[in-house]
């Protein structure tokens, strides 16, 4: 982690200098000695005394599955980006470069665990069985999410920065109060089905929000079984990490009294192992855990953002060498002898998924105008009911006028 530098531009519209960006990059591109890594950028599998055993069961078949996950999720992400550029979506939030951080964590969760995402967790949604087409309504502006969050154990996307940390902490406190953590096998409210935990996803920028701090405080005070999973992609829109914190983000957990771990967010195996450990800590009743997945946002913050205004191509090119998908592909070839046919099959599957995703988007019907009333409150107030009736009357008269 680089030492914080004073950067106060004379012009508020000024971009950071080349020297400023590169100084921060040199201090953060490796993640420091605390970084947990099981798969190097060169595709070599390495050991880790503390967390290696948590991925000991991962062999060729499992790695092929994670590779498939990441390729398909990246393809959906690129298709979503293209659809927005073509005017089919109002906005898209890319996850390019963060596939390992999301797939590793998502595959670590059990069906009983509850997950609270922000708005970029397309990979985690995939792991929870959410069809990618269910995401389209959010970004097309036709719904707020079309899946059942209780059935999927995956909450609807949260747009307000950091607010999901409060929701996740409250849910985890409920798990604790209802005795769904710390039970021996065969005991507890659902005997034989095991314990539960909650996982909350957010970015490095959200750590500057009060909601995240408050979530940490309450989780610590009540030993809530929640894993706070921070995807540190180095940029809070245009604000670099070194302007947000004086210490590595995972070390902030010390101030709240619970453990923090920094993991290589471009290493799907390390993310899987660390998250498995953290979730089990929470299910066992040992309170909250903070994971900092040290990764990089390879694309814009959203399609409304232009990253070329505040970061340099040098930085992007360096992180391309740490591509999370490529390191798994290399490992599969070198250490498991996987042949080209497997990769061709995954590519063909990604083509089919992208075509289905695009076709679904283009065929989505526009919601009726009265939806502006039906999806706001569970029950309309008399005033809104009056407005709704007046609006429907206006629409009817308008349609009659057009028919003439």
């Amino acid at each position: 982690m680089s030492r914080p530098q004073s950067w106060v531009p004379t012009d508020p519209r000024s971009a950071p200098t080349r020297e400023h960006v590169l100084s921060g990059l040199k201090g953060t591109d490796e993640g420091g000695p605390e970084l947990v890594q099981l798969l190097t950028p060169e595709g070599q599998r390495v050991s880790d005394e503390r967390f290696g055993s948590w991925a000991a069961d991962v062999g060729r078949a499992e790695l092929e599955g994670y590779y498939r996950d990441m390729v398909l999720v990246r393809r959906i992400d690129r298709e979503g980006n293209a659809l927005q550029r073509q005017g089919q979506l109002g906005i898209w939030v890319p996850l390019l470069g963060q596939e390992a951080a999301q797939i590793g964590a998502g595959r670590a969760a059990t069906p009983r665990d509850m997950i609270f995402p922000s708005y970029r967790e397309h990979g985690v949604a995939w792991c929870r069985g959410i069809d990618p087409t269910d995401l389209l309504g959010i970004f097309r502006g036709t719904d707020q999410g079309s899946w059942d969050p209780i059935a999927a154990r995956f909450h609807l996307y949260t747009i307000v920065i950091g607010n999901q940390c409060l929701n996740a902490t409250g849910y985890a406190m409920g798990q604790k109060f209802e005795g769904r953590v710390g039970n021996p096998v065969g005991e507890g409210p659902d005997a034989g089905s095991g314990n539960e935990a909650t996982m909350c996803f957010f970015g490095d920028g959200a750590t500057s929000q009060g909601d995240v701090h408050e979530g940490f405080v309450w989780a610590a005070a009540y030993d809530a079984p929640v894993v706070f999973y921070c995807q540190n992609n180095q940029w809070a829109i245009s604000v670099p990490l070194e302007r947000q914190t004086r210490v590595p983000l995972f070390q902030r957990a010390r101030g709240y009294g619970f453990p923090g771990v920094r993991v290589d967010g471009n290493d799907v195996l390390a993310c899987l192992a660390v998250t498995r450990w953290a979730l089990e800590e929470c299910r066992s009743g040992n309170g909250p855990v903070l994971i900092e997945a040290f990764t990089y946002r390879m694309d814009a913050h959203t399609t409304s953002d232009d990253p070329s205004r505040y970061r340099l191509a040098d930085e992007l090119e360096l992180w391309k060498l740490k591509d999370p998908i490529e390191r798994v592909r290399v490992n599969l070839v070198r250490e498991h002898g996987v042949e080209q046919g497997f990769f061709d099959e995954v590519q063909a599957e990604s083509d089919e998924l992208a075509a289905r995703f695009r076709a679904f988007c283009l065929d989505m019907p526009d919601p009726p105008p009265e939806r502006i009333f039906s999806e706001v409150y569970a029950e309309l107030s008399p005033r809104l009911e009056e407005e709704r009736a007046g609006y429907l009357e206006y629409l009817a008269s308008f349609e009659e006028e057009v028919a003439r």
Side-chain angles (χ1 to χ4, degrees):
M1 181 68 190
S2 61
R3 292 180 60 83
Q5 298 184 28
S6 175
W7 177 57
V8 182
T10 55
D11 184 348
R13 296 169 297 178
S14 297
T17 65
R18 174 187 177 87
E19 290 72 22
H20 174 79
V21 174
L22 291 182
S23 66
L25 177 62
K26 289 175 182 177
T28 61
D29 64 350
E30 296 298 334
E34 308 94 341
L35 190 76
V36 178
Q37 188 176 81
L38 297 178
L39 199 62
T40 70
E42 296 75 28
Q44 179 184 3
R45 191 159 179 174
V46 294
S47 61
D48 183 272
E49 182 177 346
R50 184 180 180 189
F51 295 104
S53 63
W54 290 90
D57 62 320
V58 177
R60 169 175 171 170
E62 291 77 17
L63 275 175
E64 287 181 340
Y66 302 147
Y67 176 84
R68 172 182 174 273
D69 286 336
M70 291 192 290
V71 169
L72 296 183
V73 166
R74 178 173 289 187
R75 183 59 184 275
I76 286 300
D77 178 69
R78 296 298 82 200
E79 198 66 30
N81 218 69
L83 285 166
Q84 192 283 328
R85 296 307 190 201
Q86 295 161 15
Q88 297 300 325
L89 299 177
I91 195 172
W92 182 255
V93 186
L95 62 67
L96 185 65
Q98 299 178 220
E99 295 87 358
Q102 296 193 16
I103 296 301
R107 290 303 182 196
T110 70
R112 290 185 58 80
D113 297 325
M114 185 66 182
I115 295 177
F116 287 79
S118 62
Y119 44 68
R120 199 186 301 275
E121 277 67 58
H122 319 320
V124 187
W126 171 266
C127 293
R128 300 309 271 182
I130 306 298
D131 193 283
T133 57
D134 287 340
L135 304 176
L136 286 169
I138 301 172
F139 300 107
R140 196 173 171 92
T142 59
D143 60 54
Q144 290 81 43
S146 55
W147 63 89
D148 182 342
I150 301 301
R153 308 295 285 170
F154 184 76
H155 199 269
L156 300 176
Y157 275 15
T158 301
I159 308 302
V160 179
I161 305 297
N163 185 248
Q164 68 274 18
C165 287
L166 294 177
N167 300 330
T169 298
Y171 189 93
M173 288 168 62
Q175 290 173 315
K176 178 71 178 293
F177 296 156
E178 293 177 358
R180 299 180 183 276
V181 300
N183 299 304
V185 176
E187 298 182 14
D190 296 303
S193 59
N195 296 306
E196 301 178 5
T198 293
M199 184 156 47
C200 178
F201 288 85
F202 53 95
D204 52 290
T207 64
S208 299
Q209 293 290 112
D211 285 2
V212 176
H213 164 75
E214 292 164 8
F216 285 5
V217 169
W218 281 83
Y222 285 89
D223 294 326
V226 55
V227 175
F228 295 106
Y229 195 92
C230 175
Q231 293 175 86
N232 175 9
N233 62 23
Q234 311 303 317
W235 289 93
I237 308 183
S238 59
V239 180
L241 180 65
E242 61 265 25
R243 291 191 63 202
Q244 300 181 67
T245 180
R246 287 183 175 271
V247 298
L249 293 177
F250 77 97
Q251 291 185 5
R252 288 186 172 183
R254 294 181 187 176
Y256 301 91
F258 54 84
V261 181
R262 172 179 276 185
V263 62
D264 184 345
N266 285 21
D267 176 355
V268 70
L269 281 185
C271 291
L272 175 78
V274 169
T275 308
R276 279 178 169 177
W277 166 82
L279 285 168
E280 189 57 33
E281 280 288 291
C282 290
R283 296 188 201 106
S284 300
N286 293 331
V289 176
L290 171 63
I291 297 175
E292 178 193 356
F294 198 83
T295 183
Y296 190 77
R297 193 189 79 216
M298 300 290 287
D299 202 345
H301 173 71
T302 71
T303 47
S304 298
D305 173 39
D306 178 9
S308 67
R309 298 182 62 184
Y310 55 82
R311 69 184 188 189
L312 301 173
D314 308 51
E315 181 176 335
L316 183 61
E317 291 303 313
L318 186 148
W319 278 92
K320 283 182 179 179
L321 301 177
K322 305 174 189 292
D323 185 276
I325 297 179
E326 182 63 17
R327 69 174 70 182
V328 176
R329 188 193 70 80
V330 171
N331 180 268
L332 285 171
V333 171
R334 291 180 179 176
E335 297 188 12
H336 298 280
V338 176
E339 298 182 353
Q340 185 60 38
F342 166 75
F343 302 106
D344 292 342
E345 290 175 4
V346 174
Q347 183 60 46
E349 185 178 0
S350 75
D351 291 341
E352 294 175 4
L353 180 59
R356 180 170 70 85
F357 187 75
R358 169 172 287 274
F360 186 95
C361 181
L362 298 180
D363 292 340
M364 290 177 72
D366 293 333
E370 60 267 24
R371 271 283 298 275
I372 61 176
F373 296 99
S374 64
E375 301 300 319
V376 179
Y377 298 103
E379 296 181 6
L380 291 182
S381 66
R383 175 64 181 274
L384 281 178
E385 187 62 60
E386 181 182 346
E387 290 182 0
R388 177 178 178 274
Y391 182 64
L392 293 178
E393 182 180 346
Y394 163 77
L395 286 179
S397 63
F398 179 78
E399 291 172 357
E400 290 177 4
E401 186 68 26
V402 171
R404 295 196 191 115

